[in-house]
Amino acid sequence: MLSNIVQNHLDFIAFILALLAERFLPLISWYHPNTALNAVFSAIGKRIYKSKEPKSYQYLAAILASTLILSVILIIVVLLLEFAFYPELLAGLILYLCLESKGIDKKALRIAKLTKQNQKSTARELLKPLLAREVNRLSSPGIIKALIESLILRTARYYFVVIFIFLAFGPIAALAYRLLTLIQQAWRSDISPNSYFLKPLKTLLFIIEYIPMRLLALTIAASRASKQSMHYIKHYGRHFYQTNTGWLLSTCSASLGVQLGGPAVYLGTRFNKMRIGTDRLPTPEDVPVIINRLNQARVFWLLVIVSIEILKVI
């Protein structure tokens, strides 16, 4: 009887095990496959990116390079799933490798603690790998603001969106999305964010993230400061440089009662991004608060997923 239950729900069991493993047994970046992939993707980007080439070249080079990368990796994974004795367990392993949340939380708390102790140089060095922007001149409030924004967006993309795609479209789709985010992350470290080379990836990721990012934003809005969150979405989120990001940062800004967004420097160039909110600047004490808000959203959607699975059994 028990073996039949396990067999019938092996895919859901593998899903839960992947979430638990990511939460309590996260891989260290030193031996995580993403570290090696990031280095490979960065080398490919440097090889094919030519800043002086016309717009058509930038688009074509980015599309062909990302398509080639996805094709090679996904074909290998599809073949492994096809011949695996328990493809559900392999799918769970893929989800585990795609997720990234607990490590970000730990690093964020450490950076907040260092900033509170006025160890800004060390805090900046720890913050640097999390951002594409320059951090060398950030003040203490600037460090915390950039940290909170990175924490929100990374948790949204590398946890909530990955799970949404995994449940809706399967492990291959989730892996494809995660590879796209890794490619963009690797290329952004050396390429200006307004480059035509990055535009195809940005557009594709915007479309993929459209629904899950807004669902997460509305979940956070519903849990606290709902009226203020809707006001911020209307006045800031819809006019932000990227509306998916704008929705999420707007609801989090309203929830925390702090100001987010604002100008940022990328590769020596200042980009005048919109400021969200007119409240106080964030402090180190706000970091555990936003982690708690994201954890509440995580628990809520986990309960929804479990409830749906139970209803399917009934």
Side-chain angles (χ1 to χ4, degrees), residues 128 130-136 138 146 149-150 153 157 187-195 198 202 240-241 245 249 261-273:
K128 194 178 295 183
L130 299 179
L131 301 171
R133 62 186 288 187
E134 295 181 11
V135 300
N136 295 331
L138 289 179
E149 291 172 7
S150 176
L153 297 176
R157 287 174 177 141
W187 290 354
R188 281 191 65 190
S189 60
D190 299 300
I191 301 173
S192 176
N194 62 350
S195 170
L198 294 176
K202 285 183 176 180
F240 209 62
Y241 72 95
T245 301
L249 292 183
V265 178
Y266 295 88
L267 301 176
T269 303
R270 178 186 170 96
F271 289 81
N272 292 317
K273 297 180 180 179

Side-chain angles (χ1 to χ4, degrees), residues 132-285:
R133 62 186 288 187
E134 295 181 11
V135 300
N136 295 331
R137 297 181 180 179
L138 289 179
S139 62
S140 294
I143 291 172
I144 298 301
K145 185 193 288 187
L147 173 63
I148 289 176
E149 291 172 7
S150 176
L151 176 63
I152 293 166
L153 297 176
R154 280 176 168 261
T155 303
R157 287 174 177 141
Y158 305 158
Y159 192 87
F160 288 98
V161 178
V162 168
I163 291 174
F164 178 88
I165 296 173
F166 181 87
L167 293 175
F169 304 105
I172 298 301
L175 177 60
Y177 166 76
R178 193 65 179 92
L179 288 172
L180 287 172
T181 61
L182 285 172
I183 294 170
Q184 186 193 44
Q185 181 182 343
W187 290 354
R188 281 191 65 190
S189 60
D190 299 300
I191 301 173
S192 176
N194 62 350
S195 170
Y196 290 114
F197 186 77
L198 294 176
K199 195 168 183 179
L201 270 177
K202 285 183 176 180
T203 303
L204 180 57
L205 288 173
F206 174 82
I207 295 169
I208 295 171
E209 295 169 354
Y210 189 89
I211 294 176
M213 291 277 270
R214 280 162 168 74
L215 283 175
L216 176 58
L218 293 174
T219 303
I220 295 172
S223 65
R224 189 177 178 88
S226 302
K227 187 175 180 180
Q228 184 79 340
S229 295
M230 294 300 104
H231 174 75
Y232 275 22
I233 289 173
K234 181 178 179 181
H235 286 84
Y236 301 110
R238 294 193 303 172
H239 308 288
F240 209 62
Y241 72 95
Q242 208 260 39
T243 53
N244 292 344
T245 301
W247 272 54
L248 194 52
L249 292 183
S250 294
T251 55
C252 290
S253 174
S255 177
L256 290 174
V258 301
Q259 181 187 122
L260 295 177
V265 178
Y266 295 88
L267 301 176
T269 303
R270 178 186 170 96
F271 289 81
N272 292 317
K273 297 180 180 179
M274 178 186 291
R275 286 187 173 89
I276 298 176
T278 56
D279 300 295
R280 62 179 175 83
L281 291 173
T283 64
E285 287 75 16

Side-chain angles (χ1 to χ4, degrees), residues 21-47:
E22 192 280 331
R23 194 67 183 164
F24 299 106
L25 297 170
L27 285 176
I28 298 174
S29 60
W30 295 344
Y31 49 83
H32 198 293
N34 288 352
T35 304
L37 289 174
N38 190 280
V40 172
F41 298 161
S42 179
I44 292 173
K46 290 177 182 177
R47 181 79 180 218

